[in-house]
Amino acid sequence: MKILAIMGSPRNKGNTYKVTRGVEERMKQLGNVEFEYLFLKDADLKMCRGCFNCVKNGEELCPIKDSRAEIENKMFEADGVILASPVYCENVSGLMKNFIDRFSFVFHRPRFFDQKLMVLATSAGGGLKETIDYLKKLQIWGFGTPVELSVITPPWPQSDALQKKNEKNINNAAEEFYQKLQEGRQPPNFMQYMHFRFLKETSKLGYLPADLEFYKDKGEFFYDTSVSPLKKIFAPLIMKFAFFMMRDMEPKS
Ligand SMILES: Cc1cc2nc3c(=O)[nH]c(=O)nc-3n(C[C@H](O)[C@H](O)[C@H](O)COP(=O)(O)O)c2cc1C
């Protein structure tokens, strides 16, 4: 199994790397696992210019010429993706944020259905929940529910108790991730189904041509799967309510 670890620290061999290596070591004890590290600090991934072309008209029309598409291919080739970031001022690092911004179109047109996700954050003690909660939003890219790992790495020598606790958390998360990698595509949970229905419905407005094209032939979900009758009943009702609440956002006629 191939794991792509996308590293959001400007320090290649810092705390986030050490924690990710801990995950790698435990997973390698469990089975045949191969790790590749993609250090965003060294990657050819320029800053998003904010033109919105990728979301609106298609990612192939992004004016920036760099390795964004190659990074996407690496993600497709992996069975599991780890998004690892230090906490910077209560959230992900700038490197990780730019990576996410450059893949904005995937929030609209999810695609990583055959990959599992682990979200990993390290900090001196603060901001872990905020950072993990933010990274968890990337389950919308198609990954489904991620495995979470947050680790306190203070800028002073760790006590034995903290070290033991960290080792336990790292091993548990590695084991959970390894188990998850054995699963195939799952039927959507309610949020994933709502996300699909919402985007499919709004795509019909035609303001985002790339979305219109993407959703026009989609059936009940992004891929063939069973959707429970309860979800099919409740989703349109909640959507009706959501569209009513958002009525001010409708385009001016
Ligand atoms: C610019 C900057 C901002 C930081 N902000 C926070 C923060 O808000 N809360 C916190 O607990 N630690 C914060 N830290 C500490 C780092 O999150 C922590 O040392 C992390 O493990 C560093 O990972 P790295 O060695 O992989 O870069 C910050 C560090 C830097 C350099």
Side-chain angles (χ1 to χ4, degrees), residues 9-11 13-17 86-91 122-127 151 153 155:
S9 173
R11 302 196 317 146
K13 296 281 156 79
N15 297 329
T16 313
Y17 176 73
V87 172
Y88 274 11
C89 310
E90 303 284 314
N91 213 310
T122 69
S123 88
V151 180
T153 49

Side-chain angles (χ1 to χ4, degrees), residues 173-243:
E175 285 159 26
E176 197 189 331
F177 195 39
Y178 185 84
Q179 284 310 319
K180 218 178 223 310
L181 288 166
Q182 320 302 319
E183 296 170 4
R185 290 183 178 192
Q186 302 292 310
N189 62 33
F190 192 68
M191 286 316 290
Q192 289 168 319
Y193 185 56
M194 282 297 297
H195 181 234
F196 170 81
R197 292 289 301 253
F198 182 81
L199 285 171
K200 184 172 166 158
E201 207 50 41
T202 50
S203 74
K204 291 176 191 162
L205 294 170
Y207 287 96
L208 302 173
D211 281 13
L212 183 66
E213 180 63 25
F214 181 82
Y215 286 95
K216 75 174 198 286
D217 300 322
K218 297 273 184 293
E220 202 55 64
F221 192 57
F222 295 109
Y223 49 84
D224 281 342
T225 182
S226 59
V227 178
S228 75
L230 268 183
K231 287 191 183 92
K232 288 189 199 172
I233 292 169
F234 280 111
L237 295 176
I238 294 175
M239 288 237 306
K240 264 207 161 68
F241 178 70
F243 281 125

